[in-house]
Amino acid sequence: DDLDRALNEYLEQRPGWKVLDVGCGSGGQSYRMAARGAQVYAIDRENHRAYFSKPAAPGAVVFRQFDVRKLVQFLPEITFDIVCWQRAIHYLRYDEALQVLAYLRTVTCDRLYISASGLVSPLGIDYEAYDEHVRQRYACLNVENQRAYTIKVPVCLYTKEELIILLEEAGWGVLACWQSDFGNVKAIAER
């Protein structure tokens, strides 16, 4: 993934940096960042604890099962150099995403690497909220896509322009934003 590569290249010159990996899943990216010397705090609403039992030298990985909506309770006194939030922001309503992104800006010293599922992608085919304004857009994918992508809950899909507006509204400065060949939207933003 090009966003993962960009983040890992950036981290290579910054060993020991603290990274928050939001929506970490089974931890592939968490361990790639730790291999570059990062101290990684990986969170996901699902219990992926079994994937986080291997050592992560030269860095470290700590996993916590946690819903990002309650992040302020998890991070009352921790700051991070970088936040990585890949392929998970779509699970939040726009206003929830805005609130979390604004909070993350207060606990991040440097950058945010983020991707969002794209409205103009295969996920957007027959998506019932396709024509809704992004602030109201929150619905299930069509039945075929729910099965194909194992996303059975409502989601908010984004265009490139909408992700930029969301990030800027939360106080982030967008350094780069692009759409992948699949149609997902990716961005690098700075505090």
Side-chain angles (χ1 to χ4, degrees), residues 152-189:
K152 302 194 184 315
V153 296
V155 292
C156 180
L157 304 180
Y158 290 85
T159 65
K160 178 181 165 184
E161 295 75 18
E162 291 165 346
L163 184 61
I164 291 171
I165 290 168
L166 172 65
L167 291 168
E168 289 176 345
E169 194 175 345
W172 292 93
V174 178
L175 298 172
C177 189
W178 66 97
Q179 189 166 340
S180 72
D181 291 341
F182 178 79
N184 288 333
V185 183
K186 303 175 183 196
I188 301 170

PDB file of all heavy atoms in Angstrom, residues 152-189:
ATOM      1  N   LYS A 152     -20.614  -5.295   7.266  1.00  0.00           N
ATOM      2  CA  LYS A 152     -22.050  -5.505   7.403  1.00  0.00           C
ATOM      3  C   LYS A 152     -22.746  -4.407   8.206  1.00  0.00           C
ATOM      4  O   LYS A 152     -23.928  -4.481   8.446  1.00  0.00           O
ATOM      5  CB  LYS A 152     -22.298  -6.869   8.028  1.00  0.00           C
ATOM      6  CG  LYS A 152     -21.684  -7.990   7.192  1.00  0.00           C
ATOM      7  CD  LYS A 152     -22.180  -9.344   7.587  1.00  0.00           C
ATOM      8  CE  LYS A 152     -21.540 -10.479   6.857  1.00  0.00           C
ATOM      9  NZ  LYS A 152     -21.380 -10.388   5.448  1.00  0.00           N
ATOM     10  N   VAL A 153     -21.988  -3.410   8.627  1.00  0.00           N
ATOM     11  CA  VAL A 153     -22.549  -2.309   9.412  1.00  0.00           C
ATOM     12  C   VAL A 153     -22.573  -1.045   8.550  1.00  0.00           C
ATOM     13  O   VAL A 153     -21.889  -0.973   7.528  1.00  0.00           O
ATOM     14  CB  VAL A 153     -21.714  -2.075  10.691  1.00  0.00           C
ATOM     15  CG1 VAL A 153     -21.791  -3.288  11.605  1.00  0.00           C
ATOM     16  CG2 VAL A 153     -20.270  -1.742  10.355  1.00  0.00           C
ATOM     17  N   PRO A 154     -23.333  -0.035   8.954  1.00  0.00           N
ATOM     18  CA  PRO A 154     -23.348   1.217   8.180  1.00  0.00           C
ATOM     19  C   PRO A 154     -21.960   1.856   8.129  1.00  0.00           C
ATOM     20  O   PRO A 154     -21.179   1.756   9.082  1.00  0.00           O
ATOM     21  CB  PRO A 154     -24.321   2.098   8.960  1.00  0.00           C
ATOM     22  CG  PRO A 154     -25.171   1.160   9.740  1.00  0.00           C
ATOM     23  CD  PRO A 154     -24.286  -0.008  10.071  1.00  0.00           C
ATOM     24  N   VAL A 155     -21.689   2.540   7.014  1.00  0.00           N
ATOM     25  CA  VAL A 155     -20.416   3.227   6.819  1.00  0.00           C
ATOM     26  C   VAL A 155     -20.653   4.579   6.147  1.00  0.00           C
ATOM     27  O   VAL A 155     -21.690   4.810   5.538  1.00  0.00           O
ATOM     28  CB  VAL A 155     -19.431   2.395   5.970  1.00  0.00           C
ATOM     29  CG1 VAL A 155     -18.978   1.139   6.719  1.00  0.00           C
ATOM     30  CG2 VAL A 155     -20.031   2.024   4.622  1.00  0.00           C
ATOM     31  N   CYS A 156     -19.647   5.435   6.258  1.00  0.00           N
ATOM     32  CA  CYS A 156     -19.633   6.719   5.561  1.00  0.00           C
ATOM     33  C   CYS A 156     -18.498   6.663   4.546  1.00  0.00           C
ATOM     34  O   CYS A 156     -17.332   6.560   4.929  1.00  0.00           O
ATOM     35  CB  CYS A 156     -19.412   7.861   6.556  1.00  0.00           C
ATOM     36  SG  CYS A 156     -19.369   9.487   5.771  1.00  0.00           S
ATOM     37  N   LEU A 157     -18.833   6.710   3.267  1.00  0.00           N
ATOM     38  CA  LEU A 157     -17.826   6.689   2.204  1.00  0.00           C
ATOM     39  C   LEU A 157     -17.497   8.127   1.813  1.00  0.00           C
ATOM     40  O   LEU A 157     -18.356   8.999   1.873  1.00  0.00           O
ATOM     41  CB  LEU A 157     -18.350   5.906   0.998  1.00  0.00           C
ATOM     42  CG  LEU A 157     -18.806   4.466   1.276  1.00  0.00           C
ATOM     43  CD1 LEU A 157     -19.309   3.811  -0.014  1.00  0.00           C
ATOM     44  CD2 LEU A 157     -17.692   3.641   1.905  1.00  0.00           C
ATOM     45  N   TYR A 158     -16.255   8.366   1.382  1.00  0.00           N
ATOM     46  CA  TYR A 158     -15.774   9.728   1.126  1.00  0.00           C
ATOM     47  C   TYR A 158     -15.271   9.912  -0.302  1.00  0.00           C
ATOM     48  O   TYR A 158     -14.720   8.990  -0.898  1.00  0.00           O
ATOM     49  CB  TYR A 158     -14.595  10.064   2.062  1.00  0.00           C
ATOM     50  CG  TYR A 158     -14.994  10.226   3.490  1.00  0.00           C
ATOM     51  CD1 TYR A 158     -15.093   9.121   4.335  1.00  0.00           C
ATOM     52  CD2 TYR A 158     -15.264  11.477   4.016  1.00  0.00           C
ATOM     53  CE1 TYR A 158     -15.456   9.261   5.660  1.00  0.00           C
ATOM     54  CE2 TYR A 158     -15.633  11.635   5.342  1.00  0.00           C
ATOM     55  CZ  TYR A 158     -15.727  10.519   6.159  1.00  0.00           C
ATOM     56  OH  TYR A 158     -16.093  10.670   7.467  1.00  0.00           O
ATOM     57  N   THR A 159     -15.384  11.143  -0.776  1.00  0.00           N
ATOM     58  CA  THR A 159     -14.653  11.563  -1.969  1.00  0.00           C
ATOM     59  C   THR A 159     -13.355  12.216  -1.475  1.00  0.00           C
ATOM     60  O   THR A 159     -13.212  12.541  -0.277  1.00  0.00           O
ATOM     61  CB  THR A 159     -15.431  12.604  -2.802  1.00  0.00           C
ATOM     62  OG1 THR A 159     -15.566  13.798  -2.034  1.00  0.00           O
ATOM     63  CG2 THR A 159     -16.804  12.079  -3.221  1.00  0.00           C
ATOM     64  N   LYS A 160     -12.439  12.431  -2.387  1.00  0.00           N
ATOM     65  CA  LYS A 160     -11.183  13.095  -2.046  1.00  0.00           C
ATOM     66  C   LYS A 160     -11.449  14.478  -1.449  1.00  0.00           C
ATOM     67  O   LYS A 160     -10.877  14.840  -0.411  1.00  0.00           O
ATOM     68  CB  LYS A 160     -10.321  13.202  -3.308  1.00  0.00           C
ATOM     69  CG  LYS A 160      -9.020  13.911  -3.130  1.00  0.00           C
ATOM     70  CD  LYS A 160      -8.274  13.969  -4.459  1.00  0.00           C
ATOM     71  CE  LYS A 160      -7.158  14.979  -4.406  1.00  0.00           C
ATOM     72  NZ  LYS A 160      -6.486  15.139  -5.691  1.00  0.00           N
ATOM     73  N   GLU A 161     -12.315  15.237  -2.078  1.00  0.00           N
ATOM     74  CA  GLU A 161     -12.616  16.582  -1.608  1.00  0.00           C
ATOM     75  C   GLU A 161     -13.229  16.563  -0.207  1.00  0.00           C
ATOM     76  O   GLU A 161     -12.931  17.421   0.627  1.00  0.00           O
ATOM     77  CB  GLU A 161     -13.562  17.294  -2.585  1.00  0.00           C
ATOM     78  CG  GLU A 161     -12.961  17.555  -3.954  1.00  0.00           C
ATOM     79  CD  GLU A 161     -12.851  16.310  -4.853  1.00  0.00           C
ATOM     80  OE1 GLU A 161     -13.540  15.286  -4.588  1.00  0.00           O
ATOM     81  OE2 GLU A 161     -12.065  16.356  -5.812  1.00  0.00           O
ATOM     82  N   GLU A 162     -14.103  15.598   0.055  1.00  0.00           N
ATOM     83  CA  GLU A 162     -14.751  15.504   1.373  1.00  0.00           C
ATOM     84  C   GLU A 162     -13.758  15.151   2.465  1.00  0.00           C
ATOM     85  O   GLU A 162     -13.847  15.674   3.582  1.00  0.00           O
ATOM     86  CB  GLU A 162     -15.887  14.476   1.327  1.00  0.00           C
ATOM     87  CG  GLU A 162     -17.057  14.937   0.483  1.00  0.00           C
ATOM     88  CD  GLU A 162     -18.031  13.826   0.123  1.00  0.00           C
ATOM     89  OE1 GLU A 162     -17.692  12.625   0.297  1.00  0.00           O
ATOM     90  OE2 GLU A 162     -19.131  14.165  -0.347  1.00  0.00           O
ATOM     91  N   LEU A 163     -12.792  14.283   2.171  1.00  0.00           N
ATOM     92  CA  LEU A 163     -11.785  13.947   3.179  1.00  0.00           C
ATOM     93  C   LEU A 163     -10.910  15.160   3.472  1.00  0.00           C
ATOM     94  O   LEU A 163     -10.598  15.431   4.632  1.00  0.00           O
ATOM     95  CB  LEU A 163     -10.933  12.756   2.748  1.00  0.00           C
ATOM     96  CG  LEU A 163      -9.916  12.295   3.803  1.00  0.00           C
ATOM     97  CD1 LEU A 163     -10.611  11.842   5.090  1.00  0.00           C
ATOM     98  CD2 LEU A 163      -9.029  11.183   3.253  1.00  0.00           C
ATOM     99  N   ILE A 164     -10.548  15.905   2.464  1.00  0.00           N
ATOM    100  CA  ILE A 164      -9.754  17.123   2.685  1.00  0.00           C
ATOM    101  C   ILE A 164     -10.523  18.099   3.577  1.00  0.00           C
ATOM    102  O   ILE A 164      -9.974  18.640   4.550  1.00  0.00           O
ATOM    103  CB  ILE A 164      -9.379  17.783   1.340  1.00  0.00           C
ATOM    104  CG1 ILE A 164      -8.363  16.912   0.592  1.00  0.00           C
ATOM    105  CG2 ILE A 164      -8.831  19.200   1.559  1.00  0.00           C
ATOM    106  CD1 ILE A 164      -8.090  17.351  -0.838  1.00  0.00           C
ATOM    107  N   ILE A 165     -11.794  18.314   3.283  1.00  0.00           N
ATOM    108  CA  ILE A 165     -12.615  19.231   4.087  1.00  0.00           C
ATOM    109  C   ILE A 165     -12.704  18.736   5.525  1.00  0.00           C
ATOM    110  O   ILE A 165     -12.566  19.520   6.476  1.00  0.00           O
ATOM    111  CB  ILE A 165     -14.018  19.400   3.461  1.00  0.00           C
ATOM    112  CG1 ILE A 165     -13.905  20.202   2.159  1.00  0.00           C
ATOM    113  CG2 ILE A 165     -14.984  20.068   4.439  1.00  0.00           C
ATOM    114  CD1 ILE A 165     -15.163  20.181   1.307  1.00  0.00           C
ATOM    115  N   LEU A 166     -12.925  17.445   5.720  1.00  0.00           N
ATOM    116  CA  LEU A 166     -13.001  16.875   7.065  1.00  0.00           C
ATOM    117  C   LEU A 166     -11.706  17.122   7.830  1.00  0.00           C
ATOM    118  O   LEU A 166     -11.728  17.578   8.981  1.00  0.00           O
ATOM    119  CB  LEU A 166     -13.295  15.370   6.982  1.00  0.00           C
ATOM    120  CG  LEU A 166     -13.232  14.578   8.288  1.00  0.00           C
ATOM    121  CD1 LEU A 166     -14.320  15.033   9.253  1.00  0.00           C
ATOM    122  CD2 LEU A 166     -13.357  13.084   8.009  1.00  0.00           C
ATOM    123  N   LEU A 167     -10.573  16.838   7.215  1.00  0.00           N
ATOM    124  CA  LEU A 167      -9.284  17.025   7.883  1.00  0.00           C
ATOM    125  C   LEU A 167      -9.044  18.500   8.225  1.00  0.00           C
ATOM    126  O   LEU A 167      -8.631  18.817   9.342  1.00  0.00           O
ATOM    127  CB  LEU A 167      -8.152  16.489   7.004  1.00  0.00           C
ATOM    128  CG  LEU A 167      -8.118  14.971   6.839  1.00  0.00           C
ATOM    129  CD1 LEU A 167      -7.160  14.571   5.725  1.00  0.00           C
ATOM    130  CD2 LEU A 167      -7.760  14.286   8.151  1.00  0.00           C
ATOM    131  N   GLU A 168      -9.333  19.373   7.289  1.00  0.00           N
ATOM    132  CA  GLU A 168      -9.131  20.799   7.539  1.00  0.00           C
ATOM    133  C   GLU A 168     -10.077  21.317   8.610  1.00  0.00           C
ATOM    134  O   GLU A 168      -9.689  22.130   9.462  1.00  0.00           O
ATOM    135  CB  GLU A 168      -9.276  21.580   6.239  1.00  0.00           C
ATOM    136  CG  GLU A 168      -8.110  21.331   5.290  1.00  0.00           C
ATOM    137  CD  GLU A 168      -8.247  22.012   3.939  1.00  0.00           C
ATOM    138  OE1 GLU A 168      -9.369  22.470   3.595  1.00  0.00           O
ATOM    139  OE2 GLU A 168      -7.236  22.079   3.212  1.00  0.00           O
ATOM    140  N   GLU A 169     -11.304  20.837   8.592  1.00  0.00           N
ATOM    141  CA  GLU A 169     -12.268  21.246   9.614  1.00  0.00           C
ATOM    142  C   GLU A 169     -11.819  20.805  11.006  1.00  0.00           C
ATOM    143  O   GLU A 169     -12.081  21.493  12.000  1.00  0.00           O
ATOM    144  CB  GLU A 169     -13.641  20.643   9.280  1.00  0.00           C
ATOM    145  CG  GLU A 169     -14.772  21.232  10.045  1.00  0.00           C
ATOM    146  CD  GLU A 169     -16.140  20.700   9.618  1.00  0.00           C
ATOM    147  OE1 GLU A 169     -16.257  20.080   8.535  1.00  0.00           O
ATOM    148  OE2 GLU A 169     -17.095  20.902  10.378  1.00  0.00           O
ATOM    149  N   ALA A 170     -11.100  19.686  11.084  1.00  0.00           N
ATOM    150  CA  ALA A 170     -10.586  19.184  12.363  1.00  0.00           C
ATOM    151  C   ALA A 170      -9.265  19.857  12.744  1.00  0.00           C
ATOM    152  O   ALA A 170      -8.701  19.551  13.795  1.00  0.00           O
ATOM    153  CB  ALA A 170     -10.400  17.673  12.282  1.00  0.00           C
ATOM    154  N   GLY A 171      -8.763  20.765  11.892  1.00  0.00           N
ATOM    155  CA  GLY A 171      -7.565  21.513  12.227  1.00  0.00           C
ATOM    156  C   GLY A 171      -6.272  20.991  11.631  1.00  0.00           C
ATOM    157  O   GLY A 171      -5.195  21.523  11.912  1.00  0.00           O
ATOM    158  N   TRP A 172      -6.335  19.962  10.810  1.00  0.00           N
ATOM    159  CA  TRP A 172      -5.139  19.397  10.184  1.00  0.00           C
ATOM    160  C   TRP A 172      -4.796  20.166   8.913  1.00  0.00           C
ATOM    161  O   TRP A 172      -5.688  20.605   8.193  1.00  0.00           O
ATOM    162  CB  TRP A 172      -5.367  17.932   9.829  1.00  0.00           C
ATOM    163  CG  TRP A 172      -5.504  17.037  11.013  1.00  0.00           C
ATOM    164  CD1 TRP A 172      -6.658  16.674  11.637  1.00  0.00           C
ATOM    165  CD2 TRP A 172      -4.451  16.396  11.728  1.00  0.00           C
ATOM    166  NE1 TRP A 172      -6.396  15.842  12.696  1.00  0.00           N
ATOM    167  CE2 TRP A 172      -5.037  15.663  12.776  1.00  0.00           C
ATOM    168  CE3 TRP A 172      -3.066  16.375  11.586  1.00  0.00           C
ATOM    169  CZ2 TRP A 172      -4.281  14.900  13.676  1.00  0.00           C
ATOM    170  CZ3 TRP A 172      -2.314  15.620  12.476  1.00  0.00           C
ATOM    171  CH2 TRP A 172      -2.923  14.895  13.508  1.00  0.00           C
ATOM    172  N   GLY A 173      -3.511  20.253   8.621  1.00  0.00           N
ATOM    173  CA  GLY A 173      -3.047  20.819   7.353  1.00  0.00           C
ATOM    174  C   GLY A 173      -2.758  19.682   6.395  1.00  0.00           C
ATOM    175  O   GLY A 173      -1.903  18.834   6.677  1.00  0.00           O
ATOM    176  N   VAL A 174      -3.452  19.611   5.303  1.00  0.00           N
ATOM    177  CA  VAL A 174      -3.299  18.501   4.363  1.00  0.00           C
ATOM    178  C   VAL A 174      -2.060  18.722   3.499  1.00  0.00           C
ATOM    179  O   VAL A 174      -1.958  19.715   2.780  1.00  0.00           O
ATOM    180  CB  VAL A 174      -4.560  18.330   3.489  1.00  0.00           C
ATOM    181  CG1 VAL A 174      -4.388  17.204   2.486  1.00  0.00           C
ATOM    182  CG2 VAL A 174      -5.787  18.075   4.378  1.00  0.00           C
ATOM    183  N   LEU A 175      -1.115  17.789   3.574  1.00  0.00           N
ATOM    184  CA  LEU A 175       0.109  17.841   2.777  1.00  0.00           C
ATOM    185  C   LEU A 175      -0.083  17.180   1.418  1.00  0.00           C
ATOM    186  O   LEU A 175       0.484  17.621   0.427  1.00  0.00           O
ATOM    187  CB  LEU A 175       1.259  17.141   3.515  1.00  0.00           C
ATOM    188  CG  LEU A 175       1.667  17.756   4.854  1.00  0.00           C
ATOM    189  CD1 LEU A 175       2.678  16.856   5.553  1.00  0.00           C
ATOM    190  CD2 LEU A 175       2.234  19.145   4.637  1.00  0.00           C
ATOM    191  N   ALA A 176      -0.867  16.101   1.400  1.00  0.00           N
ATOM    192  CA  ALA A 176      -1.123  15.367   0.150  1.00  0.00           C
ATOM    193  C   ALA A 176      -2.418  14.597   0.309  1.00  0.00           C
ATOM    194  O   ALA A 176      -2.741  14.117   1.402  1.00  0.00           O
ATOM    195  CB  ALA A 176       0.018  14.401  -0.147  1.00  0.00           C
ATOM    196  N   CYS A 177      -3.154  14.463  -0.787  1.00  0.00           N
ATOM    197  CA  CYS A 177      -4.378  13.660  -0.793  1.00  0.00           C
ATOM    198  C   CYS A 177      -4.560  13.107  -2.198  1.00  0.00           C
ATOM    199  O   CYS A 177      -4.380  13.831  -3.177  1.00  0.00           O
ATOM    200  CB  CYS A 177      -5.589  14.500  -0.381  1.00  0.00           C
ATOM    201  SG  CYS A 177      -7.097  13.518  -0.118  1.00  0.00           S
ATOM    202  N   TRP A 178      -4.883  11.828  -2.292  1.00  0.00           N
ATOM    203  CA  TRP A 178      -5.048  11.187  -3.585  1.00  0.00           C
ATOM    204  C   TRP A 178      -6.041  10.036  -3.481  1.00  0.00           C
ATOM    205  O   TRP A 178      -6.387   9.597  -2.390  1.00  0.00           O
ATOM    206  CB  TRP A 178      -3.708  10.702  -4.131  1.00  0.00           C
ATOM    207  CG  TRP A 178      -3.060   9.608  -3.355  1.00  0.00           C
ATOM    208  CD1 TRP A 178      -3.104   8.254  -3.612  1.00  0.00           C
ATOM    209  CD2 TRP A 178      -2.256   9.733  -2.167  1.00  0.00           C
ATOM    210  NE1 TRP A 178      -2.383   7.553  -2.673  1.00  0.00           N
ATOM    211  CE2 TRP A 178      -1.847   8.437  -1.784  1.00  0.00           C
ATOM    212  CE3 TRP A 178      -1.843  10.822  -1.395  1.00  0.00           C
ATOM    213  CZ2 TRP A 178      -1.050   8.200  -0.661  1.00  0.00           C
ATOM    214  CZ3 TRP A 178      -1.045  10.583  -0.276  1.00  0.00           C
ATOM    215  CH2 TRP A 178      -0.663   9.285   0.071  1.00  0.00           C
ATOM    216  N   GLN A 179      -6.467   9.564  -4.618  1.00  0.00           N
ATOM    217  CA  GLN A 179      -7.389   8.438  -4.691  1.00  0.00           C
ATOM    218  C   GLN A 179      -6.650   7.260  -5.309  1.00  0.00           C
ATOM    219  O   GLN A 179      -5.976   7.401  -6.323  1.00  0.00           O
ATOM    220  CB  GLN A 179      -8.599   8.810  -5.546  1.00  0.00           C
ATOM    221  CG  GLN A 179      -9.706   7.783  -5.491  1.00  0.00           C
ATOM    222  CD  GLN A 179     -11.011   8.326  -6.050  1.00  0.00           C
ATOM    223  OE1 GLN A 179     -11.203   9.520  -6.145  1.00  0.00           O
ATOM    224  NE2 GLN A 179     -11.899   7.436  -6.410  1.00  0.00           N
ATOM    225  N   SER A 180      -6.768   6.095  -4.686  1.00  0.00           N
ATOM    226  CA  SER A 180      -6.106   4.896  -5.195  1.00  0.00           C
ATOM    227  C   SER A 180      -6.825   4.380  -6.439  1.00  0.00           C
ATOM    228  O   SER A 180      -7.943   4.806  -6.754  1.00  0.00           O
ATOM    229  CB  SER A 180      -6.098   3.803  -4.125  1.00  0.00           C
ATOM    230  OG  SER A 180      -7.409   3.271  -3.949  1.00  0.00           O
ATOM    231  N   ASP A 181      -6.205   3.441  -7.127  1.00  0.00           N
ATOM    232  CA  ASP A 181      -6.833   2.826  -8.296  1.00  0.00           C
ATOM    233  C   ASP A 181      -8.163   2.172  -7.930  1.00  0.00           C
ATOM    234  O   ASP A 181      -9.098   2.180  -8.717  1.00  0.00           O
ATOM    235  CB  ASP A 181      -5.898   1.788  -8.928  1.00  0.00           C
ATOM    236  CG  ASP A 181      -4.683   2.420  -9.575  1.00  0.00           C
ATOM    237  OD1 ASP A 181      -4.727   3.639  -9.860  1.00  0.00           O
ATOM    238  OD2 ASP A 181      -3.682   1.711  -9.791  1.00  0.00           O
ATOM    239  N   PHE A 182      -8.259   1.618  -6.717  1.00  0.00           N
ATOM    240  CA  PHE A 182      -9.501   0.997  -6.259  1.00  0.00           C
ATOM    241  C   PHE A 182     -10.571   2.044  -5.984  1.00  0.00           C
ATOM    242  O   PHE A 182     -11.760   1.790  -6.119  1.00  0.00           O
ATOM    243  CB  PHE A 182      -9.248   0.164  -4.993  1.00  0.00           C
ATOM    244  CG  PHE A 182     -10.484  -0.471  -4.417  1.00  0.00           C
ATOM    245  CD1 PHE A 182     -11.015  -1.625  -4.971  1.00  0.00           C
ATOM    246  CD2 PHE A 182     -11.135   0.108  -3.325  1.00  0.00           C
ATOM    247  CE1 PHE A 182     -12.183  -2.204  -4.449  1.00  0.00           C
ATOM    248  CE2 PHE A 182     -12.287  -0.481  -2.803  1.00  0.00           C
ATOM    249  CZ  PHE A 182     -12.798  -1.626  -3.363  1.00  0.00           C
ATOM    250  N   GLY A 183     -10.142   3.233  -5.582  1.00  0.00           N
ATOM    251  CA  GLY A 183     -11.094   4.300  -5.281  1.00  0.00           C
ATOM    252  C   GLY A 183     -11.057   4.762  -3.832  1.00  0.00           C
ATOM    253  O   GLY A 183     -11.838   5.637  -3.454  1.00  0.00           O
ATOM    254  N   ASN A 184     -10.180   4.176  -3.011  1.00  0.00           N
ATOM    255  CA  ASN A 184     -10.050   4.665  -1.647  1.00  0.00           C
ATOM    256  C   ASN A 184      -9.309   5.996  -1.654  1.00  0.00           C
ATOM    257  O   ASN A 184      -8.531   6.281  -2.559  1.00  0.00           O
ATOM    258  CB  ASN A 184      -9.324   3.647  -0.770  1.00  0.00           C
ATOM    259  CG  ASN A 184     -10.195   2.438  -0.484  1.00  0.00           C
ATOM    260  OD1 ASN A 184     -11.414   2.545  -0.493  1.00  0.00           O
ATOM    261  ND2 ASN A 184      -9.587   1.305  -0.241  1.00  0.00           N
ATOM    262  N   VAL A 185      -9.572   6.816  -0.647  1.00  0.00           N
ATOM    263  CA  VAL A 185      -8.981   8.134  -0.553  1.00  0.00           C
ATOM    264  C   VAL A 185      -7.930   8.113   0.557  1.00  0.00           C
ATOM    265  O   VAL A 185      -8.179   7.615   1.649  1.00  0.00           O
ATOM    266  CB  VAL A 185     -10.057   9.203  -0.253  1.00  0.00           C
ATOM    267  CG1 VAL A 185      -9.445  10.583  -0.242  1.00  0.00           C
ATOM    268  CG2 VAL A 185     -11.186   9.120  -1.272  1.00  0.00           C
ATOM    269  N   LYS A 186      -6.743   8.657   0.257  1.00  0.00           N
ATOM    270  CA  LYS A 186      -5.619   8.617   1.190  1.00  0.00           C
ATOM    271  C   LYS A 186      -5.080  10.015   1.372  1.00  0.00           C
ATOM    272  O   LYS A 186      -5.078  10.820   0.437  1.00  0.00           O
ATOM    273  CB  LYS A 186      -4.536   7.683   0.649  1.00  0.00           C
ATOM    274  CG  LYS A 186      -5.081   6.287   0.398  1.00  0.00           C
ATOM    275  CD  LYS A 186      -4.052   5.404  -0.244  1.00  0.00           C
ATOM    276  CE  LYS A 186      -4.671   4.041  -0.528  1.00  0.00           C
ATOM    277  NZ  LYS A 186      -3.685   3.047  -0.784  1.00  0.00           N
ATOM    278  N   ALA A 187      -4.581  10.283   2.581  1.00  0.00           N
ATOM    279  CA  ALA A 187      -4.053  11.612   2.848  1.00  0.00           C
ATOM    280  C   ALA A 187      -2.935  11.556   3.879  1.00  0.00           C
ATOM    281  O   ALA A 187      -2.895  10.668   4.733  1.00  0.00           O
ATOM    282  CB  ALA A 187      -5.161  12.540   3.346  1.00  0.00           C
ATOM    283  N   ILE A 188      -2.065  12.533   3.763  1.00  0.00           N
ATOM    284  CA  ILE A 188      -1.038  12.796   4.764  1.00  0.00           C
ATOM    285  C   ILE A 188      -1.296  14.224   5.223  1.00  0.00           C
ATOM    286  O   ILE A 188      -1.400  15.142   4.409  1.00  0.00           O
ATOM    287  CB  ILE A 188       0.376  12.659   4.187  1.00  0.00           C
ATOM    288  CG1 ILE A 188       0.599  11.255   3.628  1.00  0.00           C
ATOM    289  CG2 ILE A 188       1.430  12.987   5.267  1.00  0.00           C
ATOM    290  CD1 ILE A 188       1.884  11.090   2.833  1.00  0.00           C
ATOM    291  N   ALA A 189      -1.430  14.392   6.530  1.00  0.00           N
ATOM    292  CA  ALA A 189      -1.718  15.712   7.090  1.00  0.00           C
ATOM    293  C   ALA A 189      -0.753  15.999   8.234  1.00  0.00           C
ATOM    294  O   ALA A 189      -0.211  15.081   8.841  1.00  0.00           O
ATOM    295  CB  ALA A 189      -3.162  15.775   7.577  1.00  0.00           C
TER     296      ALA A 189
END
